[in-house]
Amino acid sequence: MENIRGLFQTMTKRFGLLNKNCCSVGGMEISLVQSHILYEIDRLKQPSVQQLADALAMDITTLSRQIQKLVQMGLVKKTPYPEDRRIFILSLTTEGTYIAAKIDAEINEYLTEVFSHMSEFEKETVLRSIQLLNDCMAKSSVCCKPMYGGK
Amino acid sequence: MENIRGLFQTMTKRFGLLNKNCCSVGGMEISLVQSHILYEIDRLKQPSVQQLADALAMDITTLSRQIQKLVQMGLVKKTPYPEDRRIFILSLTTEGTYIAAKIDAEINEYLTEVFSHMSEFEKETVLRSIQLLNDCMAKSSVCCKPMYGGK
DNA sequence: AAAAAACAGTTGCATTTTGCAAATAATTTG
DNA sequence: CAAATTATTTGCAAAATGCAACTGTTTTTT
């Protein structure tokens, strides 16, 4: 079998590129990190800043500032959390949801195109493989420690 | 089938994290980009600066400066190319090769750990899936345009 | 073969991003 | 209740980024 790291490197490089290309939507310039932030807020549903930082394995000060920008852009909303007044709950605004969905759609479209080069069976296999891989990475003690646990 | 983008996002996020963790080797602090540069120089064998920039889908001015640093660190060598005196050929120094191998080994070790959570058959399937995915991404007209063509 | 166009690579900025240390505010612990 | 902890934000200084402009070299055009 071939160089395993090489396979991963190539794959992630290409997907990362795809992500980058998908960032400017509807006149609004979104950076790659910002795109990831939007995605993760959407996924986590009402995370705090800290939770988000953990999920993204990102320095919280950097995140804090990026969020400020996204709030200014009107894409993210920060809501004080009554039970614990240190905490802010993050959510997407209507526009933020729209942008996130737009990015999502674009990336999925690209992926669909990529998958069109394989048979339905191959596609299923590949997707199940990635799923399995994610599960095993989550299990792994050594890698991805600070990552979000579940799936 | 589940959200496809989500699968990719999770996977690349985790692998990216792994990459980041593997960057500081032997007292030498290597940034993530620098690690990718080393990897790609090694892979391409004697690329020019421009070729490398294309392969990494990176702005050439940024790359130029990063290479200067790597040269200063003694990891990369720049050799004038006689046939075309505009061009510099890049290669790893002995130490650069050592560092790159070290990073490679560490990442592969992590990956091995991850794969230890699955059967040999599953592992084979996953690796072949990624291989297939890479091939299809390379074929795709729409995604990854500026990426290195072959595999 | 001279002038023009194209190319490889490097700098000059000016902007953005990053992360550590420190500050602030709120909560929990002993 | 004082001390320790936690969540979040700022100060600051370093690093990374990318466009425009520049140098030097090769190729094209005519």
Side-chain angles (χ1 to χ4, degrees):
Chain A
M1 175 52 68
E2 199 201 331
N3 168 24
I4 298 186
R5 183 198 171 191
L7 287 176
F8 277 81
Q9 200 79 25
T10 302
M11 176 178 58
T12 51
K13 182 86 204 161
R14 288 198 171 124
F15 184 66
L17 213 64
L18 198 160
N19 258 297
K20 205 187 281 178
N21 290 338
C22 290
C23 278
S24 43
V25 190
M28 201 161 244
E29 269 307 317
I30 310 278
S31 80
L32 188 56
V33 255
Q34 287 166 353
S35 154
H36 284 150
I37 291 172
L38 293 183
Y39 175 81
E40 211 62 28
I41 290 178
D42 202 28
R43 197 182 71 89
L44 293 176
K45 313 282 182 211
Q46 319 261 323
S48 71
V49 179
Q50 184 64 62
Q51 283 172 333
L52 186 59
D54 290 344
L56 289 164
M58 201 174 169
D59 185 273
I60 194 176
T61 68
T62 305
L63 180 60
S64 175
R65 272 181 269 250
Q66 287 290 356
I67 286 176
Q68 284 173 35
K69 282 186 199 168
L70 289 168
V71 170
Q72 279 179 353
M73 292 192 230
L75 304 181
V76 168
K77 196 169 63 158
K78 261 171 65 179
T79 315
Y81 183 60
E83 334 281 295
D84 185 338
R85 280 153 55 211
R86 292 171 299 182
I87 292 179
F88 285 91
I89 296 298
L90 303 172
S91 56
L92 299 183
T93 63
T94 311
E95 170 138 31
T97 308
Y98 171 76
I99 296 280
K102 203 87 175 174
I103 295 176
D104 218 62
E106 201 168 343
I107 292 183
N108 273 319
E109 185 188 321
Y110 282 157
L111 286 176
T112 301
E113 208 271 346
V114 167
F115 280 116
S116 77
H117 293 281
M118 46 181 99
S119 74
E120 189 59 33
F121 175 73
E122 287 174 324
K123 175 180 169 181
E124 286 302 316
T125 305
V126 169
L127 291 181
R128 248 181 299 108
S129 288
I130 296 178
Q131 179 72 67
L132 177 59
L133 194 58
N134 284 346
D135 293 345
C136 289
M137 282 181 131
K139 269 184 215 154
S140 171
S141 58
V142 69
C143 129
C144 324
K145 297 159 213 161
M147 272 293 282
Y148 40 109
K151 83 106 197 303
Chain B
M1 174 54 67
E2 198 203 329
N3 169 24
I4 299 186
R5 184 198 171 191
L7 287 177
F8 277 81
Q9 200 79 25
T10 302
M11 175 178 57
T12 53
K13 183 86 206 160
R14 287 195 172 128
F15 184 67
L17 211 65
L18 198 160
N19 257 298
K20 204 187 280 177
N21 290 338
C22 289
C23 276
S24 43
V25 189
M28 201 161 244
E29 268 309 315
I30 309 278
S31 81
L32 188 56
V33 255
Q34 286 167 354
S35 154
H36 284 151
I37 291 172
L38 293 183
Y39 175 81
E40 210 61 31
I41 291 178
D42 202 28
R43 197 183 71 90
L44 293 176
K45 313 284 183 210
Q46 319 263 322
S48 70
V49 178
Q50 184 64 63
Q51 284 172 334
L52 185 59
D54 290 344
L56 290 164
M58 202 175 170
D59 185 272
I60 194 177
T61 69
T62 305
L63 179 61
S64 175
R65 272 181 268 248
Q66 288 288 358
I67 288 177
Q68 284 173 36
K69 282 188 200 167
L70 290 168
V71 169
Q72 280 179 352
M73 292 191 229
L75 304 181
V76 168
K77 196 170 64 159
K78 261 170 66 180
T79 316
Y81 183 59
E83 336 279 297
D84 185 337
R85 282 154 54 210
R86 292 171 298 185
I87 291 178
F88 285 91
I89 295 299
L90 302 172
S91 57
L92 300 182
T93 63
T94 310
E95 170 139 32
T97 308
Y98 171 76
I99 297 280
K102 204 88 175 175
I103 294 175
D104 218 62
E106 202 167 342
I107 292 182
N108 273 318
E109 185 187 321
Y110 281 156
L111 286 177
T112 300
E113 208 271 345
V114 168
F115 280 116
S116 78
H117 294 279
M118 47 180 100
S119 74
E120 189 59 34
F121 175 73
E122 287 174 323
K123 175 182 169 180
E124 286 301 317
T125 304
V126 168
L127 291 181
R128 247 182 299 108
S129 288
I130 296 178
Q131 178 73 65
L132 177 58
L133 194 59
N134 284 345
D135 292 347
C136 289
M137 282 182 132
K139 271 185 215 152
S140 170
S141 58
V142 69
C143 126
C144 325
K145 295 160 212 161
M147 273 292 283
Y148 40 110
K151 81 101 196 304

